[in-house]
Amino acid sequence: MEKKNIDWSNLGFGYVQTDKRYVSNFKDGSWDEGTLTSDATVVINECAGVLQYAQTVFEGLKAYTTEDGHIVTFRPDLNAARLKASAERLEMPAFPEDRFIDAIVQTVAANEAYVPPYGSGATLYIRPYLFGTNPVIGVKPADEYQFRVFTTPVGPYFKGGVRPLTIRVSDFDRAAPHGTGHIKAGLNYAMSLHAIVSAHKEGYDENLYLDPATRTKVEETGGANFLFVSKDGKVVTPKSSSILPSITRRSLVYVAKEYLGLEVEEREVYLSELEDMAECGLCGTAAVISPVGKIVDHGKEICFPSGMSEMGPVTKKLYETLTGIQMGRIEAPEGWIKVIR
Ligand SMILES: *Cc1c(COP(=O)(O)O)cnc(C)c1O
């Protein structure tokens, strides 16, 4: 298979149209057989449920080329389960989990020419999503839905080296205590846009959202979970029913315990405790872990001892172990790697 002529290591994180995408439609109570198509355009009615009342959920994962030349994805069964949970919360029909994995495999295989080579740092980002398609004007769930999967090659996250982030404690809230913070819904992102644009204007990379009920506990950023390392070497990650359950964070917790022999605490984390932390990172599919150097709480700076020029030592070990597992350099736990080719 001849690869596309793309400058892999200089790719950014943007949409690059690839050859094929997967589409399946839900109508009269069931999903059709699904197919790959070359048509990147979606045509829906002007009154479609997704356009009027934002009835849409999504997933994000990646395909990689491993050291020995296979094309793989990482724990797609967890994305399948999470999409199902997200769909159910928004009264949408779940796409069957086994068919979700089959759709990922088919879409990646059909776009093999866009899977970046091993060592380039680039990956093929996979975006599965589900939305209401038929006209809905009175507020209720749609009756018809579309499930799609497209892929787009994305460049190395740490181009030109690691740069620890500076984030601010946000005055906006991300997710209400019994709301939709724990599902991967477009609506959670629409309402975060104003907060992130204003954070960027003020020179911050990200927003740290607090729990809206008490505004004392750390939740997450707009699109990544927190992982801290305490000064006594424990990995600490916030626990809350309104945090999106990051697959990267859950995998890093396993790696910390089982590969690195570290103690892990999943618990409520108070903003007031952050001064006692040695390292801080943001976990998600995009970067695996991005180190955070500084958190600013209304003028008060919390500077982590790991500093503004490199990852902290524990963060780095976690990052290297998990990326080693993904790229086939370190043996993976049973069931973590789905081989496509
Ligand atoms: C997708 C997402 C994450 C990261 O989850 P991964 O499964 O690790 O990619 C974290 N927080 C939010 C709000 C998200 O939408």
Side-chain angles (χ1 to χ4, degrees), residues 131-145:
F131 52 96
T133 51
N134 67 298
V136 174
I137 192 77
V139 177
K140 63 171 184 180
D143 308 305
E144 297 174 11
Y145 294 86

Side-chain angles (χ1 to χ4, degrees), residues 111-123:
N111 295 297
E112 191 183 343
Y114 293 91
V115 181
Y118 176 78
S120 64
T123 53

Side-chain angles (χ1 to χ4, degrees), residues 60 82 174 184 189 220-225 244-249 283-285:
R82 194 168 63 186
R174 189 189 87 89
K184 219 167 169 70
Y189 280 77
E220 59 172 322
T221 66
N225 287 178
L244 191 285
S246 158
I247 294 165
T248 313
R249 187 252 304 158
C283 334
T285 293

